[in-house]
């Protein structure tokens, strides 16, 4: 095998964050007597995605995401709720959702049985990501979970990847592959750390990218890693 260690992003690479986000948000909105309307969900997703992209670019701290996203949402939609306390309840609900993308568990099981060492690398809130991962059913196949909040720095910073590699026994950067859906966090960060990268373009955008590999499905990723096509 060309690679022995696989560093997997979590959300929208293996875990269905869109689904988890929608379910958690619907739960908390319902608790406050509000409908989980398409307008609310869409507006929140836009605000949250923008904030996380700014975080990935190093423009803001993670605390700004959690302290402002619902404040901005409620101001935009003229909803009279406290955005800060709503965010805390949302995180509690989000931690309960470990939904996976279809085929994710089968892929990880196959790679684990093939002898790869699998690790999760994720930006996010430590208690939330670890709870979601524990509920996902993927734990038996992974040797570790690295969360940006716990490490003290996040993707795409090189230091994040350096700290991850230093924590993996006998790590070999030349035989390590970063796998993720985000060009700005996973791919840019992996490249900055001198690691090979694989972009999961599951939306089949086909856009230009700097990753060493690009796949559109788990089947193609599995073939890439185990089918002798590297």
């Amino acid at each position: 095998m060309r690679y022995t260690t696989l560093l997997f992003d979590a959300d929208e690479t293996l875990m269905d964050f869109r689904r988890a986000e929608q379910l958690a948000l619907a739960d908390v909105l319902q608790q406050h007597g509000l409908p989980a309307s398409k307008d609310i969900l869409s507006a929140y997703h836009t605000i949250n995605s923008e904030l996380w992209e700014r975080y990935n670019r190093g423009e803001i701290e993670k605390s700004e995401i959690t302290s402002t996203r619902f404040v901005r949402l409620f101001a935009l939609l003229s909803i009279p709720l406290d955005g800060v306390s709503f965010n805390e309840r949302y995180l509690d609900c989000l931690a309960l959702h470990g939904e996976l993308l279809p085929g994710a568990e089968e892929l990880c099981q196959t790679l684990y049985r093939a002898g790869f060492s699998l690790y999760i690398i994720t930006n996010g809130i430590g208690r939330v990501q670890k709870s979601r991962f524990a509920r996902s059913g993927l734990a038996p196949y992974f040797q570790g979970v690295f969360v940006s909040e716990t490490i003290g720095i996040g993707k795409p910073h090189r230091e994040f990847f350096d700290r991850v590699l230093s924590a993996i026994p006998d790590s070999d950067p030349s035989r390590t592959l970063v796998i993720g859906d985000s060009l700005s966090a996973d791919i840019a960060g992996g490249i900055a750390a001198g690691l090979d990268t694989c972009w999961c373009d599951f939306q089949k955008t086909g856009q230009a990218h700097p990753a060493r590999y690009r796949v559109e499905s788990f089947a193609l990723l599995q073939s890439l890693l185990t089918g002798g096509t590297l």
Side-chain angles (χ1 to χ4, degrees):
M1 297 185 296
R2 174 167 189 155
Y3 302 104
T4 56
T5 301
L6 306 178
L7 305 182
F8 273 97
D9 171 55
D11 291 322
E12 296 306 307
T13 298
L14 294 173
M15 303 184 72
D16 190 345
F17 184 75
R18 291 289 187 92
R19 179 64 175 158
E21 177 184 69
Q22 180 179 351
L23 291 171
L25 190 53
D27 287 344
V28 188
L29 286 170
Q30 188 174 47
Q31 292 169 18
H32 288 81
L34 295 171
S37 68
K38 289 184 178 180
D39 288 343
I40 293 178
L41 294 174
S42 177
Y44 170 74
H45 179 71
T46 297
I47 291 170
N48 193 50
S49 296
E50 175 203 332
L51 288 169
W52 276 105
E53 283 299 315
R54 291 183 63 196
Y55 171 78
N56 289 343
R57 295 193 298 267
E59 297 173 1
I60 60 173
E61 297 294 326
K62 189 176 299 177
S63 59
E64 186 169 339
I65 300 175
T66 55
S67 64
T68 66
R69 56 187 175 184
F70 286 108
V71 172
R72 287 177 55 181
L73 176 69
F74 296 153
L76 176 68
L77 301 178
S78 300
I79 296 175
L81 289 177
D82 179 354
V84 176
S85 62
F86 188 97
N87 181 78
E88 289 304 308
R89 183 59 189 140
Y90 167 73
L91 292 178
D92 290 339
C93 287
L94 184 61
L96 303 178
H97 291 284
E99 288 81 7
L100 296 172
L101 294 174
E105 183 171 5
E106 293 80 2
L107 170 72
C108 294
Q109 183 181 72
T110 297
L111 296 176
Y112 173 79
R113 289 177 175 174
F116 292 96
S117 295
L118 278 59
Y119 295 87
I120 289 288
I121 54 169
T122 176
N123 285 344
I125 310 301
R127 66 181 177 87
V128 174
Q129 294 299 75
K130 289 181 178 179
S131 173
R132 293 179 60 231
F133 179 75
R135 293 169 181 272
S136 72
L138 294 181
Y141 314 117
F142 283 78
Q143 296 188 7
V145 178
F146 297 97
V147 185
S148 61
E149 184 179 71
T150 305
I151 289 180
I153 194 168
K155 301 177 290 183
H157 298 287
R158 174 170 186 154
E159 189 177 351
F160 173 88
F161 293 89
D162 289 343
R163 292 186 185 183
V164 167
L165 291 176
S166 68
I168 295 176
D170 302 317
S171 64
D172 181 350
S174 69
R175 304 196 72 188
T176 299
L177 182 68
V178 176
I179 303 169
D181 72 298
S182 173
L183 290 175
S184 62
D186 306 311
I187 306 308
I191 291 173
L195 303 174
D196 283 351
T197 59
C198 178
W199 179 36
C200 295
D201 184 19
F202 294 153
Q203 301 304 313
K204 301 180 180 180
T205 66
Q207 72 183 77
H209 65 90
R212 185 179 183 95
Y213 312 104
R214 170 183 166 272
V215 295
E216 293 184 348
S217 67
F218 286 144
L220 289 174
L221 178 57
Q222 180 176 319
S223 176
L224 177 77
L225 293 169
T226 65
T229 58
L230 291 172

